[in-house]
Amino acid sequence: MARFTLPRDLYHGKGALEALKSFKGKRAIVCVGGGSMKKFGFLDKAVSYLKEAGMEVELFEGIEPDPSVETVMKGAEAMLEFKPDWIVAMGGGSPIDAAKAMWIKYEYPEITFEEMCKVFGIPELRKKARFCAISSTSGTATEVTAFSIITDYKKGIKYPIADFEITPDVAIVDPDLAETMPKKLVAHTGMDAMTHSVEAYVSTAHCDYTDPLAIFAIKMIQGDLVDSYNGDMKKRDSMHNAQCLAGMAFSNALLGIVHSMAHKTGAAFADYGAHIIHGAANAMYLPKVIAFNAKNPEAKKRYGMIADYMGLGGNSDDEKVKLLIEYLRKMNDDLNIPHCIKNYGADSYPCEQGFVPENVFLERLPEIAKNAIGDACTGSNPRQPSQKEMEELLKCCYYDTEVDF
């Protein structure tokens, strides 16, 4: 038996933020990030709508990109004091992910972060509050997923929390919010969405309910992302829907080792000047992982089906896989995303020598590979890598070399 879970209500289209007026409750806490929602007036609108619904409203602001365990604990403390019956998270993936983890700690104050990270092991929520997610970026789709990514900076590791309990009750997908994204964010979130779709389609947990969502999202992203990056606001609006469809697919079909590797490299080199931004990491690693996974016959066939749906040509599955990899690499070029860690600069743009020195990468490689294999996303990858294979694959992602194993 399999399970397919989505938010009970999904409000979409321009002006969908107004759905907050219809919420019923006494107190709502609104969790936001670094200020863009306030700057563009969306935070004030959300607060106004919630007050119009008759609720007392409190803000928890300043959630950082790649939210930390410490931020989660602070937010949970604020919730325990305020006692909201609605948690409303708005912004990119970071504030929504953080608020999901805060929600768990609010409902179960004694739970530890380690216990939260047990895959599909969270106790029943909604005893104190329901959850609404409002996305402002077009990539993570955390507004419809059973996942949250939290960073333990002491260990330099991103941990996925995975459980259908943290699937939001309500998702608001309003393209007005996405139109405020800076260009670089459009690129990174868009390739995150592409990775979600591709990994969901070849995942060992894919099914008849997830395949249509994944494949249609791929086609939409193919048609919309680069134009959205170049300022086409109609395509920007369409990408907001595409990433949400991708999220519906992967929340139920799960992901693969592109995400495992992105989770475990993202904060691993923070002491050398920067994070490897999640969407950029996915974009760099996806072509390499496709080449690795295509050694599995079933995965190769499904990558071929993706290439067919995208209209890429090719007379055999081998040719189709090659064309798919070439297409994704061209997308990275069009979006100004580097092809490998070695050329990943501190500002995320391609450069001659990135912020991760070769000797540091090689020194940390065995531990990163071990952690990637242990990541929650690895189990549904179509080809299970050994420690040696994961190390070799990560080397290919560092040097941009061919995957021939």
Side-chain angles (χ1 to χ4, degrees):
M1 182 176 70
R3 179 175 173 179
F4 185 88
T5 301
L6 296 174
R8 183 184 185 282
D9 293 302
L10 192 154
Y11 297 95
H12 58 95
K14 285 182 172 291
L17 193 62
E18 283 193 41
L20 293 171
K21 290 180 184 178
S22 66
F23 283 25
K24 290 177 173 58
K26 294 179 180 177
R27 286 178 294 278
I29 189 166
V30 181
C31 302
V32 291
S36 65
M37 291 298 93
K38 181 181 281 188
K39 176 183 174 185
F40 293 105
F42 294 113
L43 178 58
D44 286 345
K45 277 187 181 180
V47 170
S48 174
Y49 293 149
L50 289 166
K51 286 182 176 177
E52 194 174 328
M55 283 191 253
E56 184 184 346
V57 182
E58 184 168 292
L59 301 181
F60 185 86
E61 300 182 74
I63 297 170
E64 74 274 41
D66 302 301
S68 64
V69 176
E70 289 75 17
T71 295
V72 168
M73 299 307 164
K74 283 179 192 170
E77 284 174 20
M79 290 176 187
L80 285 163
E81 189 173 328
F82 182 60
K83 296 182 172 53
D85 43 26
W86 274 103
I87 298 166
V88 178
M90 67 185 306
S94 295
I96 298 174
D97 279 4
K100 285 179 175 179
M102 293 170 192
W103 183 23
I104 302 167
K105 185 74 174 172
Y106 169 50
E107 299 237 358
Y108 294 94
E110 303 306 314
I111 199 169
T112 65
F113 180 67
E114 289 70 27
E115 288 169 334
M116 288 187 202
C117 294
K118 289 177 184 173
V119 179
F120 295 100
I122 293 169
E124 184 181 348
L125 299 180
R126 296 165 182 83
K127 296 180 185 296
K128 293 181 180 179
R130 285 181 288 169
F131 193 98
C132 171
I134 307 166
S135 56
S136 68
T137 60
S138 300
T140 69
T142 189
E143 72 275 8
V144 293
T145 76
F147 298 95
S148 164
I149 308 298
I150 305 297
T151 303
D152 185 331
Y153 285 93
K154 290 174 185 171
K155 295 180 180 176
I157 297 176
K158 293 185 178 184
Y159 288 96
I161 300 172
D163 198 292
F164 286 119
E165 283 297 319
I166 61 170
T167 304
D169 297 286
V170 177
I172 295 177
V173 184
D174 188 333
D176 286 340
L177 280 67
E179 290 183 7
T180 66
M181 281 192 295
K183 198 168 183 179
K184 185 167 74 172
L185 192 56
V186 172
H188 294 159
T189 57
M191 287 308 292
D192 192 17
M194 178 63 95
T195 306
H196 290 156
S197 309
V198 173
E199 289 211 290
Y201 197 72
V202 301
S203 158
T204 58
H206 79 86
C207 68
D208 291 345
Y209 293 88
T210 60
D211 282 351
L213 294 164
I215 200 77
F216 193 72
I218 289 167
K219 188 69 174 177
M220 287 182 74
I221 296 164
Q222 179 189 18
D224 295 338
L225 177 53
V226 174
D227 288 340
S228 170
Y229 176 75
N230 290 322
D232 184 327
M233 287 301 158
K234 282 189 177 178
K235 296 293 182 77
R236 183 79 54 88
D237 293 354
S238 183
M239 267 301 300
H240 210 42
N241 289 333
Q243 64 86 31
C244 189
L245 295 175
M248 293 178 189
F250 91 78
S251 186
N252 292 281
L254 309 179
L255 292 165
I257 59 172
V258 179
H259 273 78
S260 303
M261 293 156 63
H263 293 154
K264 299 327 184 204
T265 54
F269 309 104
D271 53 332
Y272 278 81
H275 274 67
I276 301 177
I277 295 170
H278 180 70
N282 283 336
M284 293 189 294
Y285 306 162
L286 180 59
K288 304 301 183 192
V289 169
I290 290 173
F292 175 79
N293 282 344
K295 302 293 190 295
N296 173 286
E298 177 62 20
K300 183 196 288 188
K301 179 182 172 186
R302 291 187 73 79
Y303 287 131
M305 292 166 72
I306 290 172
D308 286 342
Y309 201 73
M310 293 173 73
L312 302 183
N315 295 316
S316 67
D317 284 335
D318 284 327
E319 285 183 18
K320 291 171 186 178
V321 169
K322 183 171 177 287
L323 289 167
L324 177 59
I325 289 170
E326 287 174 359
Y327 189 92
L328 293 169
R329 286 177 65 89
K330 173 68 164 54
M331 282 189 83
N332 287 347
D333 288 336
D334 291 342
L335 299 168
N336 209 16
I337 296 173
H339 290 297
C340 62
I341 299 169
K342 180 173 176 283
N343 299 130
Y344 182 94
D347 60 358
S348 85
Y349 291 119
C351 65
E352 185 87 15
Q353 177 56 57
F355 71 86
V356 182
E358 181 180 24
N359 64 314
V360 173
F361 172 79
L362 293 173
E363 179 188 327
R364 298 183 185 182
L365 176 61
E367 185 68 13
I368 292 170
K370 182 183 85 172
N371 290 334
I373 290 170
D375 188 89
C377 294
T378 299
S380 46
N381 194 69
R383 184 181 172 197
Q384 289 299 301
S386 65
Q387 173 75 19
K388 182 174 184 240
E389 286 169 335
M390 181 59 83
E391 288 185 25
E392 288 302 312
L393 189 54
L394 283 161
K395 280 184 187 176
C396 291
C397 293
Y398 183 85
Y399 297 108
D400 192 20
T401 48
E402 292 295 319
V403 177
D404 57 1
F405 53 93

